[in-house]
Amino acid sequence: MSQEGRFSWLRRILGREKATAAPLACRELVELVTNYLDGALTPGEHARVESHLADCPHCTRYVEQMRLTIRATGELREADIRPEAREALLAAFRDWKSG
Amino acid sequence: MGTPADSPLEADEVATLAALRAGDERAFVALVDQYHTAMVRVASAYVPSFAVAEEVAQEAWLGVLNGLQRFEGRSSLKTWIFRILTNIAKTKGMREQRSSPFSSLFTDLGDDESAVDPDRFAAEGQWLLAPTGWGDSPEQKLETAECQAIIHQAIETLPPNQREVIRLRDVLGFTSDEVCNALDVTETNQRVLLHRARSRVRKALEQYFREAGVG
């Protein structure tokens, strides 16, 4: 109890966001996922998300599925440049070289 | 204004730049192979047709060649190339008179979209219709041609501003800063668009897994 009293001022400053912010609802969390995965949340918001995920298997699954989605999207192969376009550019390069 | 700071020339780009200036054809072709398709994609956000986007990309390469000697390496080569491209795309887009002005494509984000159908949550905000599992080894399923086609289709049907952001970020692996430079979009807007795009793609995959009987 005395420890609580002695450092409460410090705890208040450090944990200000945590202390005053209401816990996240699932509906709010799904809107924060992109920023969360990009590391673009404030430390306070980040902590709120992690705290929610620790207790919510549904949101945990959601975030995992989002991660899978991003990874799978990264597997997409863009079409290669069309040969005609490549030829045209090579010709342009040779022109430029000799110019 | 919110334009992110330029990162200087990358280590591997120094060699490429030197080779280009020396007239090394292979270096040029390698660069073209690396960026051309992405450049056409970015241009397609600004101009009315794929054919015009292809023209824009070709013009951009000429701009790159003509600017090679003057390029000071204060930004990365990639950023510089895409800046040239975006400038040409915007000019051409204006001239081709798109129905909505290009400048609002990444500033006017339109109505809010929910990442998940609001009906899936209770009044207090917790899940009612929680996400169902995607089976034992979703990673493997996601690599199949079938799933890749679903992702591809989902991206193709996105609104143009969302489409270009997710294509650059997630398909082509541009960093947040590189996307902001290439598309001349603020970091915040870029993230909002990425969020909406990813949410839609996830939804498409969720539907796929549900119909496949594992989700």
Side-chain angles (χ1 to χ4, degrees):
Chain A
M1 273 291 268
S2 62
Q3 184 128 51
E4 179 82 5
R6 211 188 297 162
F7 294 110
S8 64
W9 62 269
L10 183 60
R11 233 187 308 274
R12 234 182 303 123
I13 292 170
L14 288 176
R16 197 209 302 279
E17 291 195 43
K18 237 199 218 170
T20 56
L24 271 180
C26 304
R27 179 175 46 213
E28 294 172 280
L29 184 135
V30 299
E31 298 302 343
L32 292 176
V33 169
T34 301
N35 284 6
Y36 170 67
L37 293 175
D38 250 9
L41 293 176
T42 65
E45 287 172 323
H46 193 96
R48 284 174 77 203
V49 169
E50 302 250 297
S51 164
H52 180 101
L53 290 176
D55 289 328
C56 184
H58 300 311
C59 284
T60 300
R61 178 174 264 169
Y62 182 84
V63 173
E64 181 53 29
Q65 288 177 353
M66 190 54 90
R67 280 202 174 95
L68 288 167
T69 300
I70 295 165
R71 228 181 74 179
T73 305
E75 301 289 320
L76 235 54
R77 288 290 149 252
E78 284 279 326
D80 288 329
I81 180 175
R82 293 176 308 120
E84 315 88 75
R86 214 164 177 265
E87 284 309 309
L89 285 170
L90 197 46
F93 185 73
R94 287 168 180 159
D95 259 347
W96 169 80
K97 242 171 73 167
S98 59
Chain B
M1 264 193 297
T3 26
D6 284 346
S7 44
L9 211 53
E10 306 278 323
D12 55 329
E13 290 179 327
V14 173
T16 304
L17 186 59
L20 289 176
R21 283 172 170 159
D24 185 337
E25 243 174 48
R26 262 179 317 172
F28 180 66
V29 169
L31 201 62
V32 163
D33 281 346
Q34 193 176 3
Y35 292 136
H36 184 81
T37 315
M39 287 162 70
V40 175
R41 296 292 187 192
V42 170
S44 72
Y46 297 95
V47 297
S49 78
F50 210 69
V52 178
E54 176 66 54
E55 274 173 38
V56 168
Q58 298 262 338
E59 273 181 52
W61 284 115
L62 286 177
V64 167
L65 291 177
N66 290 327
L68 266 184
Q69 294 310 326
R70 276 178 284 120
F71 175 58
E72 288 171 34
R74 271 188 274 117
S75 74
S76 72
L77 192 58
K78 184 180 189 180
T79 297
W80 180 64
I81 291 172
F82 276 87
R83 275 230 186 93
I84 292 174
L85 173 90
T86 311
N87 286 334
I88 295 174
K90 283 179 180 174
T91 310
K92 211 161 197 117
M94 273 206 307
R95 263 195 266 120
E96 305 270 340
Q97 291 174 327
R98 284 176 65 80
S99 50
S100 57
F102 71 84
S103 56
S104 70
L105 191 65
F106 294 104
T107 52
D108 175 13
L109 301 188
D111 296 325
D112 261 339
E113 281 177 38
S114 331
V116 177
D117 185 351
D119 289 343
R120 292 181 65 172
F121 299 100
E124 295 80 40
Q126 72 271 39
W127 285 99
L128 270 180
L129 273 168
T132 47
W134 285 2
D136 285 326
S137 38
E139 296 93 339
Q140 280 171 357
K141 246 208 151 61
L142 286 166
E143 281 169 14
T144 62
E146 197 180 2
C147 265
Q148 292 286 293
I150 285 171
I151 296 171
H152 177 82
Q153 183 61 18
I155 292 176
E156 287 301 311
T157 53
L158 291 173
N161 50 13
Q162 291 181 31
R163 190 181 64 217
E164 297 319 313
V165 171
I166 195 175
R167 187 136 42 205
L168 290 184
R169 281 293 306 263
D170 290 351
V171 179
L172 293 168
F174 279 41
T175 65
S176 177
D177 275 357
E178 285 171 343
V179 172
C180 292
N181 274 315
L183 299 177
D184 199 13
V185 60
T186 64
E187 201 175 327
T188 313
N189 283 4
Q190 174 246 170
R191 233 169 243 122
V192 169
L193 292 170
L194 181 64
H195 179 72
R196 291 178 186 174
R198 282 179 176 170
S199 302
R200 292 199 194 194
V201 175
R202 188 210 65 88
K203 216 174 288 195
L205 287 174
E206 180 180 62
Q207 189 176 343
Y208 165 79
F209 278 107
R210 201 176 25 232
E211 285 168 6
V214 291

